[in-house]
Amino acid sequence: MSKRKAYIEKMEAQLREWDARIDELKAQYDEKSADAKIQYQDTIRKLQGKRDATQKRLTDLRNSSDEAWKELKGGFEASWKELRNSVERAVSKMK
């Protein structure tokens, strides 16, 4: 397996893990007060937007040529870090 393919598979697995964490936040929604629900909705909406943007960048990366890969990987990794940090903050904040 090429390094590129292994990298993409690893990132896809991590996205699935973060999807599960976002789903956990959604599950906690019903247990919250009205004010907290508003905050949850906003947080989940933002996380899903970042997740979708990161998925699109990963798809672009997967479909890119070798030359474009080098350029796209930096943008993907920036999006990746932002999503990771956002998910971690949301999970710790919403507990």
Side-chain angles (χ1 to χ4, degrees), residues 10-27:
K10 179 181 174 185
M11 297 298 107
E12 288 172 338
Q14 185 63 55
L15 275 176
R16 286 189 299 274
E17 182 180 320
W18 287 340
D19 284 341
R21 293 179 99 184
I22 292 170
D23 288 343
E24 288 173 14
L25 291 175
K26 288 180 191 177

Side-chain angles (χ1 to χ4, degrees), residues 25-32 37-38 40-41 44:
L25 291 175
K26 288 180 191 177
Q28 295 172 6
Y29 173 83
D30 289 333
E31 302 169 6
K32 301 300 176 184
K37 284 182 178 184
I38 292 169
Y40 256 63
Q41 286 175 335
I44 290 169

Side-chain angles (χ1 to χ4, degrees), residues 55-87:
Q55 177 63 56
K56 181 178 180 336
R57 286 182 182 257
L58 184 58
T59 299
D60 292 346
L61 197 60
R62 180 186 311 111
N63 297 328
S64 68
S65 67
D66 289 337
E67 289 182 22
W69 163 268
K70 293 174 185 175
E71 292 178 29
L72 293 172
K73 188 176 177 190
F76 168 76
E77 288 183 348
S79 179
W80 182 259
K81 287 176 186 176
E82 182 180 346
L83 175 61
R84 180 191 65 214
N85 293 337
S86 295
V87 169

